Amino acid sequence: MSLFGVRLDGTRSRLIKSFLEDNYVCAGDPVIGNLESSGREDIRSTLVASGAYQEQVLEEALSSLDTFVNVMQDGDYVLIADEEWVYLGDLGDYFYDARQESVEGGTAHRRGVTWLKSLPRTAVNSAVQALLASDQEVTRYSGVLPAARMDLWLADSSPGDMETAHSPARVDEATIAEALAVLKAALHSPDAERRERAAAAILHYAK
């Protein structure tokens, strides 16, 4: 599992509304066709042949597109942000929408996203702030990620808050799964009060 930041600046900042409403992210706007079966050197050759990229600009476009097409995987996480909010999503597979390539600032190179959480930009931790400040259009986070509850990791917490936020990690995952199974079974208890307590416990864990 990896985490990526997709930078939106300048004219591309207008895309965030579309990303959130239509459940996708995109990278670059080169008119170079479908990259689904293209490795890094294939992408380089295609960018060179287009005549639109040279030297440093070429390397930057290559890095972003190769990361977007080949490094990102289904099930990884992505972050995008506007001036006030940060949005966390679960990535899907790369796909190519040919209808968008002829549009100015095209968004043909896409990945589907299931958006999971949003929080104020001022509330995210320093690692997320650094990822969102990257000069690259698409950047992979190089640090250590939590084994679960990515949404909790995003927040900037004091030491006391951090212990509370990460308290599930103090119990092994197998025990947590077993406890949840017991609570789920209790949802079908003939005792109404027991059903209510089990439902409340599950909802509290899910927050």
Side-chain angles (χ1 to χ4, degrees), residues 5 79 121 124-136 139 141:
L79 291 171
R121 189 159 184 162
V124 298
N125 66 43
S126 58
V128 173
Q129 298 283 11
L131 184 65
L132 294 173
S134 171
D135 292 335
Q136 295 293 321
T139 305
Y141 177 64

Side-chain angles (χ1 to χ4, degrees), residues 9 12 14 28 33 38-39 50 72 74 89 95 99 119 123 130 147 177 188 192:
D9 59 359
R12 289 178 59 80
R14 63 180 172 77
S38 299
S50 75
M72 283 180 169
D74 181 17
F95 67 98
R99 298 169 301 174
L119 68 165
H188 304 287

Side-chain angles (χ1 to χ4, degrees), residues 99-160:
R99 298 169 301 174
Q100 302 299 323
E101 193 161 67
S102 60
V103 179
E104 183 179 356
T107 60
H109 305 287
R110 298 185 172 199
R111 280 183 177 271
V113 179
T114 300
W115 297 109
L116 303 173
K117 185 180 180 67
S118 63
L119 68 165
R121 189 159 184 162
T122 55
V124 298
N125 66 43
S126 58
V128 173
Q129 298 283 11
L131 184 65
L132 294 173
S134 171
D135 292 335
Q136 295 293 321
E137 182 181 1
V138 182
T139 305
R140 184 178 187 175
Y141 177 64
S142 59
V144 178
L145 295 173
R149 297 306 301 272
M150 178 74 73
D151 56 328
L152 294 178
W153 174 82
L154 295 177
D156 184 14
S157 303
S158 66

Side-chain angles (χ1 to χ4, degrees), residues 4 6 21 23 31 34 36 46 53 63 88-89 100 104 109 113 123 136 143 148 150 155 176 197 203:
F4 298 86
V6 174
E21 292 180 352
N23 299 293
V31 184
N34 193 346
E36 186 172 1
T46 303
Y53 300 90
S63 176
L88 172 69
Q100 302 299 323
E104 183 179 356
H109 305 287
V113 179
Q136 295 293 321
M150 178 74 73
I176 292 173
R197 289 200 304 269
L203 290 173

Side-chain angles (χ1 to χ4, degrees), residues 160-180:
D161 292 338
M162 187 69 72
E163 182 178 353
T164 300
H166 291 279
S167 58
R170 295 166 63 182
V171 181
D172 64 89
E173 293 186 9
T175 301
I176 292 173
E178 185 177 350
L180 285 173

